[in-house]
Amino acid sequence: MSALADKLTEIVGNVFEAAELPQDLGLVRVSDRPDLAQFQCNGAMAAAKIAKKSPRDVAADLIARLEADPQAQSAFSRIEIAGPGFLNFHVHDAYLCAHLKEIAGDETLGVERTGQDKTVILDYGGSNIAKPMHVGHLRSAIIGDTMRRVMAEAGFKTLGDVHMGDWGTHLGILFSDYLRHDEADWIFKLDLSNPDAVQELFDDLSERYPQASATAKADPDLMAEAQATTLKMQRREDPYYAMWKIIRDVSIIGMKANYGLLNVHFDLWKGEADVHDLIPPMVEKMKDQGYAIPDEGALIVPVKRNDDTKEVPPLIMYKRDGGVMYGTTDLATLVERMSLYAPDRIIYVVDQRQHLHFEQVFRAARLAGIVPDDVELIHAGFGTMNGPDGKPFKTRAGGVMRLGDLIEMARDKARQRLEDAHLARDLFEKEREEIAHMIAVAAIKFADLQNQRQSDYIFDLDRLTQFEGKTGPYHLYQAVRIKSLLRKAAREEFVSSDIAPDALTDVDRSLALLLADYPSYFAASLKHYAPHHLCEYAFKLAQEFSSFYGVCHILSEKDATLRGSRLRLCEMTLRTLERILGLCGLDVPERM
Ligand code: ARG
């Protein structure tokens, strides 16, 4: 199944083909002049160049063919030439209603299941153990988890992997610091079944790491010591490795709590360390193949190509001290993923600034035959989340904002907004708190998802928690309004019925056309790993519904056919809205 425009494309494309013109020029899309037409096709202009005729002649010929075509007859009520040779279309109301009925009968509301029998791994989250999770990891989690849900909706078998940073120098810095201050014992004595002890370690880590990191960066000797410590950890020597295990377990508890609050889900809780043992055999093989070569005591994989327009440095496999790098673990992770899951595609939802890193890793993986050509490797990068000052988002004190604090702030704002809008007043405290949390999470996630993935955006808590505008709370509120309307209808024992072609007024039709277009927005999101298309659609739908609701009688409608038809439109709007919010990992309250 697909969007209504896709069906029309098929009809028009066939007619182009019959006229010996390229079928793909018959692309029909929703008109950008709804005052003139419902759908349009711009292909006659390009076709005219091929046929060496005037665009209007080609368009007139196509219209004559369409008018004689039985399928086109059943779909189109009007076909016109506009401007230099655009084809403008209107469809029969009965055709529109039949399409909506089909969509309504489909669980996923007509989206094309293009992913069936395909497995995809999505790598997102990417938090680092021992470091507090910060807003930098927020975008990865939000976009990645949404893409996972979108791909599952399209029928893909999806595996979301958190791919923790748990094997790098930041741990050497930390462990050296504990040992230097004689505080390692304290860690070993902690009883991690006790939540207070876990909290104590969290608090200690969040203070210690930034300090230790700054000190080590300023002192080459300390940094050298930290690197030596990292190497010992990577060799699994105690006490470093024992410390690593404790810190890793505790960090995972924290990550699970944070991601849980955001309703972000992972199928795999793996990290860089998990693939350590795969590195030596991988490297040996790459040495034998001649791809990995010694270079001043290090081991590197040159990945540059003759047609590179900018420099692509070699991937470093082993540093001079024998330590492994970020790229090494990413490459070994590919070895593991290929052997355990045989995916058709692997998507990395990681900061755009790591683009070069992924270019290097992907090239090395192709060279060494770790990932065959028919498996797609994609870096779906994203821009920076900035504060209202246009610089990367920080706390008032200038530090890195922690995820937990951010959610807390958003929840405070959400409570305030509910209060100001006189909402959720009569509910018990517990339910009101749940609603405030849903609003907070919707505000944060929607603000992120609605932007083009690659662009930076400004995180403005005041704006994005509002109930008006293109915000998460606005969409929750609209969905809740429809829910309440449908509850009232149920109390009156009003039932919905098929959308009736004879009962369509302009506003009904406009809403119906938009509902019929949902699968095309879904498809755009899927194709470009770009959730903003879904958000754009949700906003349009919510606004269109508001216009509909503003002018149409629904519960007060006396004509039962019209009322039933409108109730069905309400139901479909709610279903579509909830479906999209669900793909964004957002829950909708029953009331507010
Ligand atoms: N831990 C990394 C960071 O904080 C992100 C990991 C992304 N995933 C990957 N496979 N490299 O920057």
Side-chain angles (χ1 to χ4, degrees):
M1 222 188 292
S2 47
L4 188 52
D6 300 321
K7 279 193 178 164
L8 303 177
T9 294
E10 209 178 304
I11 298 176
V12 176
N14 287 341
V15 167
F16 268 68
E17 200 181 25
E20 286 171 19
L21 295 167
Q23 189 177 11
D24 57 352
L25 291 181
L27 178 77
V28 176
R29 48 190 186 76
V30 170
S31 166
D32 31 61
R33 287 289 305 273
D35 50 327
L36 298 181
Q38 294 170 341
F39 296 92
Q40 69 186 60
C41 167
N42 301 349
M45 259 88 75
K49 285 212 184 87
I50 297 169
K52 301 203 170 59
K53 287 190 198 144
S54 88
R56 284 189 77 95
D57 284 350
V58 172
D61 173 51
L62 288 166
I63 289 183
R65 287 172 188 271
L66 282 165
E67 280 168 354
D69 180 88
Q71 270 197 308
Q73 283 166 2
S74 74
F76 299 118
S77 57
R78 233 160 78 199
I79 312 174
E80 289 152 353
I81 308 181
F86 297 110
L87 295 173
N88 275 349
F89 304 102
H90 283 83
V91 296
H92 292 294
D93 284 341
Y95 187 79
L96 170 62
C97 291
H99 182 75
L100 280 177
K101 188 170 176 173
E102 237 179 89
I103 285 191
D106 177 35
E107 204 201 328
T108 60
L109 296 157
V111 311
E112 262 188 293
R113 314 266 298 163
T114 49
Q116 250 146 15
D117 307 320
K118 292 199 192 106
T119 299
V120 54
I121 296 178
L122 295 110
D123 181 314
Y124 54 90
S127 300
N128 301 314
I129 66 167
K131 290 198 211 177
M133 209 199 278
H134 60 70
V135 292
H137 295 112
L138 184 70
R139 294 211 71 187
S140 174
I142 293 176
I143 301 171
D145 187 55
T146 297
M147 281 321 304
R148 178 183 63 78
R149 292 171 196 260
V150 167
M151 297 194 83
E153 184 90 340
F156 286 88
K157 175 165 186 274
T158 56
L159 287 168
D161 182 6
V162 68
H163 197 80
M164 286 172 283
D166 62 358
W167 215 224
T169 313
H170 71 284
L171 295 160
I173 293 177
L174 187 74
F175 299 163
S176 293
D177 192 83
Y178 273 123
L179 291 164
R180 206 170 48 248
H181 294 98
D182 265 334
E183 287 182 76
D185 273 357
W186 170 76
I187 294 194
F188 290 121
K189 284 193 195 120
L190 281 174
D191 168 16
L192 297 182
S193 60
N194 174 359
D196 290 339
V198 171
Q199 190 57 45
E200 199 184 339
L201 184 50
F202 278 145
D203 294 343
D204 185 64
L205 286 171
S206 60
E207 293 226 344
R208 183 180 300 263
Y209 179 74
Q211 278 173 22
S213 166
T215 322
K217 278 180 188 145
D219 181 338
D221 289 341
L222 281 185
M223 191 49 109
E225 185 195 313
Q227 261 151 5
T229 303
T230 308
L231 195 59
K232 289 178 197 155
M233 170 197 78
Q234 290 181 351
R235 291 197 183 121
R236 301 199 178 109
E237 285 174 25
D238 280 336
Y240 317 97
Y241 189 58
M243 288 174 92
W244 176 83
K245 278 194 248 172
I246 294 171
I247 301 265
R248 182 180 193 269
D249 288 352
V250 166
S251 297
I252 291 179
I253 295 175
M255 285 181 203
K256 287 195 170 163
N258 273 314
Y259 288 131
L261 285 175
L262 281 174
N263 201 12
V264 163
H265 166 88
F266 296 95
D267 304 286
L268 304 171
W269 282 86
K270 298 207 168 211
E272 297 166 345
D274 282 298
V275 297
H276 188 73
D277 294 338
L278 297 175
I279 294 173
M282 172 183 82
V283 170
E284 277 318 303
K285 196 165 163 203
M286 289 177 75
K287 276 202 222 160
D288 291 346
Q289 291 168 317
Y291 296 125
I293 54 173
D295 182 75
E296 296 181 18
L299 189 74
I300 64 167
V301 183
V303 290
K304 68 168 191 253
R305 290 181 190 149
N306 290 336
D307 55 353
D308 283 340
T309 49
K310 50 180 195 287
E311 201 194 319
V312 185
L315 189 74
I316 302 173
M317 302 292 279
Y318 283 128
K319 289 186 287 183
R320 236 174 287 172
D321 68 4
V324 300
M325 304 271 285
Y326 186 37
T328 326
T329 52
D330 258 330
L331 204 54
T333 303
L334 280 169
V335 172
E336 185 188 55
R337 287 177 178 166
M338 290 311 300
S339 87
L340 290 185
Y341 312 110
D344 298 279
R345 217 182 284 183
I346 304 174
I347 301 161
Y348 296 81
V349 185
V350 182
D351 196 316
Q352 190 63 32
R353 288 172 292 188
Q354 294 194 22
H355 196 68
L356 181 61
H357 165 77
F358 286 107
E359 183 64 40
Q360 293 171 300
V361 170
F362 294 173
R363 285 186 184 191
R366 299 286 188 206
L367 271 179
I370 293 171
V371 180
D373 286 345
D374 61 350
V375 174
E376 280 180 86
L377 294 173
I378 290 149
H379 173 214
F382 51 81
T384 312
M385 172 173 149
N386 290 323
D389 58 356
K391 303 209 185 87
F393 193 82
K394 296 257 164 72
T395 57
R396 284 238 175 89
V400 186
M401 170 67 75
R402 269 181 273 153
L403 198 53
D405 297 342
L406 183 78
I407 294 173
E408 193 54 56
M409 266 165 60
R411 223 185 284 142
D412 288 343
K413 264 272 183 310
R415 271 184 221 111
Q416 188 61 50
R417 296 278 183 230
L418 284 171
E419 186 69 36
D420 295 347
H422 306 290
L423 292 171
R425 282 195 156 174
D426 309 330
L427 305 178
F428 284 119
E429 174 74 19
K430 182 170 174 284
E431 188 175 353
R432 196 163 51 234
E433 266 308 291
E434 283 165 6
I435 295 172
H437 181 72
M438 287 185 217
I439 292 173
V441 173
I444 294 174
K445 292 176 89 172
F446 200 90
D448 194 299
L449 293 168
Q450 62 139 23
N451 296 286
Q452 294 230 18
R453 174 164 51 72
Q454 286 95 336
S455 31
D456 299 345
Y457 77 97
I458 291 183
F459 186 87
D460 177 353
L461 200 58
D462 259 336
R463 195 184 51 75
L464 54 89
T465 48
Q466 282 173 13
F467 282 114
E468 298 93 42
K470 203 172 177 183
T471 67
Y474 169 72
H475 291 88
L476 295 194
Y477 181 65
Q478 293 301 327
V480 166
R481 272 215 310 177
I482 308 178
K483 283 191 183 189
S484 124
L485 172 93
L486 292 173
R487 265 199 305 268
K488 275 186 208 141
R491 276 202 296 273
E492 302 282 338
E493 294 182 15
F494 294 154
V495 284
S496 64
S497 50
D498 285 346
I499 300 164
D502 303 332
L504 292 188
T505 67
D506 284 351
V507 259
D508 295 274
R509 189 180 298 106
S510 190
L511 181 58
L513 281 165
L514 189 57
L515 287 167
D517 201 26
Y518 165 61
S520 68
Y521 283 79
F522 177 88
S525 267
L526 179 70
K527 180 165 176 209
H528 304 291
Y529 309 106
H532 78 270
H533 292 291
L534 284 173
C535 297
E536 190 189 318
Y537 179 83
F539 188 54
K540 271 192 189 188
L541 183 62
Q543 285 187 309
E544 189 70 48
F545 183 81
S546 275
S547 318
F548 165 83
Y549 190 69
V551 293
C552 288
H553 299 272
I554 303 173
L555 298 180
S556 58
E557 178 56 55
K558 297 279 174 292
D559 179 326
T561 314
L562 187 52
R563 189 178 60 224
S565 171
R566 286 191 172 150
L567 282 173
R568 179 60 52 80
L569 281 170
C570 295
E571 284 169 5
M572 281 189 75
T573 303
L574 177 62
R575 259 183 77 194
T576 312
L577 213 48
E578 279 199 289
R579 198 91 201 161
I580 296 174
L581 295 171
L583 291 174
C584 299
L586 301 180
D587 296 322
V588 181
E590 275 316 300
R591 51 191 177 172
M592 57 165 85

